[in-house]
Amino acid sequence: MLAPSKETSTKSYLPIAPSTPVKILANALQRMSTQLSDNGDEEHSVNSSSSTQEDLETIIKQLAETSLSKLVSSTPMNSQTDLRHATAHTISPIKKSRTSITNIHPTTTNEVLLLAALHEAEAANAALKKRVIALQASNILNEMYCAKIRSQLAHQESKKQAGNNGGKILGDGLPRLLSGDVFYERVVQFEEAQTRAAAEKRTRTEERKRHAEALADWKKLEDARKAENKARREHYHEALKIWESEKARAKEEKWKLTEKKPTLGKLIAAIPRPKVIVTEECESDGECFDLDDIGSCASDEY
């Protein structure tokens, strides 16, 4: 139910008793709103900004002592962080007054002022009630959203814990009937998984060893290829230099040079680098690549 109207009160009352974090934030917003209304002129703008900063620091300190302390800290949130949504509360329906204000005919100045104030109060109450209904509807949707997100987060946490149980059959610490069929099946599945994991690990080790040996042989062949290509280039540049000098001498002495211009010829092509096999272990944590001598397979570097 909505709280009773208190027109003469200087403090607002929420229709629903909020939790501690909500109460802290609501009181802070009300206090800041009052300060802004009191300091409406430009002379108090500096004081207002400094007081607002102090209010924000106070809010953070107070929230750090509640159940939502992870909201204002660098600690990652988990599925245990919960904001209690007070949604199971009834709001009274909007009813029309039996006596219409339009039927009242004021006769004095005071009655005119009082009737105008009554019009404003009723309009304000109606607007506030609609706003409360909208806020409660938003609160219900937020509760549904948070509940779904928490369940998904809890599922992710359980999967992570199940994947990092350190080789344990049951990592939840709960008692089990050791002679039961369910536990026996779990043991059999666990042993099969351990055997399969060990075999896959041996295969990966052998594959890495084979790849390392193939990579070493490939590096030797690549070094020999680069050295041969380098020697061919040096021989070509020397022959080209001699040919150009002979051509210049023939031009000066006015005789025809019959020797053809030397050509570099085709160099030895690059040898394909041994391929890296991406194993299941690498796929779980990201692809594994051998970054040794990246770019060494380019044929025109040396």
Side-chain angles (χ1 to χ4, degrees):
M1 298 295 291
L2 288 173
S5 176
K6 297 185 178 182
E7 296 293 339
T8 59
S9 176
T10 59
K11 184 177 180 181
S12 62
Y13 293 86
L14 294 176
I16 300 173
S19 58
T20 302
V22 177
K23 188 182 300 183
I24 292 173
L25 191 57
N27 292 337
L29 291 176
Q30 180 181 353
R31 184 169 59 254
M32 294 168 64
S33 177
T34 304
Q35 292 176 357
L36 290 176
S37 62
D38 294 340
N39 301 331
D41 52 353
E42 297 180 356
E43 296 180 357
H44 300 83
S45 59
V46 178
N47 296 331
S48 177
S49 60
S50 60
S51 61
T52 302
Q53 183 66 27
E54 294 176 357
D55 290 337
L56 292 177
E57 294 177 357
T58 304
I59 293 172
I60 293 175
K61 291 180 181 179
Q62 292 177 348
L63 289 177
E65 299 175 356
T66 63
S67 59
L68 297 181
S69 58
K70 293 184 179 180
L71 284 177
V72 293
S73 66
S74 58
T75 306
M77 297 179 60
N78 52 29
S79 59
Q80 302 300 325
T81 305
D82 183 24
L83 172 62
R84 290 177 294 173
H85 294 78
T87 56
H89 294 269
T90 304
I91 297 179
S92 61
I94 300 176
K95 298 180 181 180
K96 294 184 178 180
S97 178
R98 295 181 180 179
T99 58
S100 177
I101 302 178
T102 57
N103 297 330
I104 301 176
H105 301 285
T107 57
T108 62
T109 305
N110 290 335
E111 290 179 355
V112 172
L113 296 176
L114 291 174
L115 187 60
L118 182 59
H119 275 287
E120 294 178 358
E122 286 195 348
N125 288 334
L128 289 176
K129 194 165 189 178
K130 291 181 180 180
R131 182 59 178 167
V132 168
I133 294 174
L135 289 175
Q136 183 145 327
S138 176
N139 196 27
I140 293 173
L141 295 177
N142 285 332
E143 183 180 10
M144 295 171 60
Y145 173 78
C146 291
K148 190 169 185 178
I149 292 297
R150 286 186 63 200
S151 63
Q152 294 178 359
L153 183 58
H155 178 65
Q156 292 293 332
E157 292 175 354
S158 62
K159 286 179 60 178
K160 186 180 295 185
Q161 292 177 359
N164 299 327
N165 56 3
K168 297 180 181 179
I169 300 177
L170 299 172
D172 53 6
L174 298 178
R176 293 292 189 278
L177 180 61
L178 301 183
S179 59
D181 295 337
V182 176
F183 183 77
Y184 175 77
E185 292 295 332
R186 294 288 296 271
V187 172
V188 172
Q189 294 175 2
F190 176 77
E191 291 179 350
E192 292 178 353
Q194 292 290 94
T195 304
R196 184 168 55 253
E200 292 175 355
K201 185 176 181 180
R202 287 194 299 269
T203 303
R204 289 192 297 268
T205 303
E206 294 174 358
E207 181 61 29
R208 282 195 292 266
K209 183 178 179 181
R210 185 202 64 78
H211 179 264
E213 294 175 353
L215 187 62
D217 296 338
W218 173 81
K219 287 182 178 179
K220 293 179 181 179
L221 295 176
E222 272 293 289
D223 292 340
R225 180 189 68 84
K226 292 177 181 179
E228 178 64 22
N229 287 342
K230 184 178 180 181
R232 291 185 183 185
R233 288 191 182 93
E234 291 177 353
H235 182 268
Y236 162 73
H237 288 299
E238 291 177 359
L240 182 62
K241 187 176 181 181
I242 295 174
W243 181 85
E244 289 177 349
S245 63
E246 289 292 326
K247 182 180 179 181
R249 189 169 65 87
K251 186 176 181 180
E252 291 178 358
E253 297 177 359
K254 297 182 180 180
W255 54 275
K256 186 177 181 180
L257 181 65
T258 58
E259 184 180 358
K260 293 183 179 180
K261 183 178 181 179
T263 57
L264 177 61
K266 187 176 181 180
L267 299 176
I268 303 176
I271 303 173
R273 185 187 181 93
K275 295 182 179 180
V276 180
I277 298 178
V278 181
T279 60
E280 294 181 358
E281 180 183 17
C282 295
E283 290 177 352
S284 62
D285 298 330
E287 293 184 350
C288 297
F289 296 98
D290 189 353
L291 301 180
D292 296 336
D293 296 336
I294 293 296
S296 60
C297 59
S299 60
D300 296 332
E301 288 183 355
Y302 297 101

